Amino acid sequence: MAGSQFTLAALATTAVPGLVVTGTRTLGSVAAGDYESAVLRDSDGIESAIRRPRNQRAEARQSADLLAIRALSAGIRSRLPFAVPEYRGQAPIGSTRAIVTGFVPGSHPSLGALGERPDLATSVGRAVAAIHLLPTSFVTDAGLPSLTPFEVLRSAVSVMDRAVATKLVPAALQDRWEGAARDQQLWQFTPTVVHGALGPDVLLVQGDDVTGVLGWGELRLGDPAKDLAWVLAGRRDAFDTVLSAYEANGGGRDRQLAQRARVYHELETAQWLLHGVQAKSTSVVDDAVAMMHRLVDAVHAPSAAPLQSVSPETMEIGEVEQLLSSTERRHG
């Protein structure tokens, strides 16, 4: 363990000229995971993180993350109420490279904590809104993906079709998903800056405040509902609190946002099924099928939320004005 940390410390001094490492400690699991990593402290007491990928999957993810965090300029970061790792340098090692970034302190919250601590759920909603309010130009200028509503729908339909083709999707879910895919109003949204991979494993909190966000490799222009779908895996009241805080802090007044978030959440079971089929894992396939049958029971419950779009005719004048205002801010 110590030898590994010393190796990473030596790499860091190569990656960051002038860096004098005075202390190290482990970051994450030592033996498991996709990265070999450590936290380093320099002579000024400033901490950095260094990560060396252990496989090609981790290397690809690290490269995407590096492209994204370098696109997040100081001006862009100043608009966010939380910290983002800052690129500091890199050094080759074997066939890959180790990346040094600023270390962002904090712990990962649990989904259950969002339901138990409304202030934390409120902070999550505020953090997501801040991401979605970023100007779209920096994403396109960096050459990051920019998805239209049609492309987003096409991707969702592809997951549905491939899952249905396995003949393991319950008929009730197939009908529900196909109905959502045919609902044109459901997929009418203004693409915004999205993190693309939000969840407890990339959020850092201290107390009830979101203090950092990691894992920016899926940064793009896309559907804002994507960044909220993960909350639905927890308690319903947590999602309501997050969504209320999101809207109160400038998140787009998109009447279909919650419905599309539910679509993405439900399609996670389809993606798990497809993963099991591709990996030829009977246990994963069986788990995915069981999850789908539990989902059928849940969507048939009297309190289940529909996937149908909310008619725009029901929008009040104030809501229309807020929608137009938020759209102008995003493109300003």
Side-chain angles (χ1 to χ4, degrees):
M1 177 172 62
S4 174
Q5 289 184 44
F6 289 143
T7 300
L8 292 175
L11 276 173
T13 59
T14 301
V16 185
L19 176 66
V20 177
V21 178
T22 60
T24 69
R25 70 176 190 272
T26 59
L27 176 60
S29 172
V30 176
D34 287 338
Y35 298 94
E36 183 182 359
S37 53
V39 178
L40 314 172
R41 186 177 63 256
D42 67 17
S43 54
D44 295 322
I46 299 173
E47 292 188 320
S48 300
I50 182 169
R51 292 178 176 84
R52 171 191 178 186
R54 287 181 164 137
N55 51 55
Q56 289 185 339
R57 177 184 63 183
E59 184 174 11
R61 190 161 64 240
Q62 186 182 61
S63 295
D65 189 59
L66 177 59
L67 180 63
I69 64 174
R70 296 185 79 168
L72 291 161
S73 65
I76 294 297
R77 291 164 188 259
S78 69
R79 298 173 181 240
L80 299 172
F82 52 78
V84 175
E86 182 179 358
Y87 172 75
R88 292 187 176 168
Q90 59 183 291
I93 177 169
S95 60
T96 184
R97 58 183 174 173
I99 303 294
V100 180
T101 65
F103 174 69
V104 180
S107 59
H108 299 297
S110 66
L111 268 174
L114 296 186
E116 297 162 1
R117 294 152 57 188
D119 287 347
L120 176 58
T122 296
S123 183
V124 168
R126 182 165 55 246
V128 178
I131 295 171
H132 294 178
L133 287 171
L134 292 175
T136 59
S137 56
F138 89 92
V139 173
T140 53
D141 288 348
L144 296 170
S146 179
L147 303 181
T148 65
F150 175 75
E151 290 170 326
V152 169
L153 171 58
R154 184 172 59 187
S155 177
V157 169
S158 174
V159 173
M160 296 176 192
D161 287 347
R162 287 185 289 125
V164 168
T166 67
K167 302 188 184 301
L168 295 173
V169 177
L173 283 187
Q174 181 177 341
D175 292 343
R176 180 175 167 88
W177 294 345
E178 288 177 351
R182 288 193 300 267
D183 189 343
Q184 294 184 5
Q185 289 183 2
L186 184 64
W187 303 95
Q188 293 177 6
F189 63 88
T190 300
T192 66
V193 177
V194 296
H195 178 280
L198 281 181
D201 57 331
V202 301
L203 294 177
L204 294 172
V205 303
Q206 292 180 317
D208 286 333
D209 295 321
V210 174
T211 54
V213 177
L214 310 175
W216 290 84
E218 297 295 319
L219 178 65
R220 63 191 56 208
L221 297 187
D223 186 352
K226 181 73 173 176
D227 279 349
L228 293 164
W230 64 276
V231 185
L232 287 164
R235 286 168 37 175
R236 172 66 182 270
D237 56 345
F239 179 78
D240 293 341
T241 302
V242 169
L243 186 59
S244 294
Y246 173 82
E247 294 176 345
N249 286 274
R253 193 65 175 176
D254 179 350
R255 293 297 294 267
Q256 325 303 338
L257 188 72
Q259 282 78 5
R260 290 198 312 280
R262 291 188 186 97
V263 173
Y264 296 131
H265 172 60
E266 293 183 16
L267 287 182
E268 288 177 2
T269 62
Q271 291 171 325
W272 186 233
L273 171 65
L274 293 172
H275 169 71
V277 171
Q278 183 178 15
K280 298 181 180 179
S281 171
T282 302
S283 61
V284 172
V285 170
D286 290 345
D287 183 49
V289 171
M291 289 171 62
M292 288 190 200
H293 284 288
R294 289 196 296 270
L295 182 56
V296 169
D297 293 338
V299 300
H300 281 162
S303 60
L307 295 184
Q308 289 86 0
S309 60
V310 178
S311 173
E313 284 76 15
T314 63
M315 293 179 68
E316 298 177 357
I317 293 177
E319 293 176 321
V320 175
E321 291 176 345
Q322 186 173 353
L323 173 62
L324 293 174
S325 176
S326 64
T327 301
E328 291 171 357
R329 285 200 304 273
R330 288 192 192 94
H331 292 278

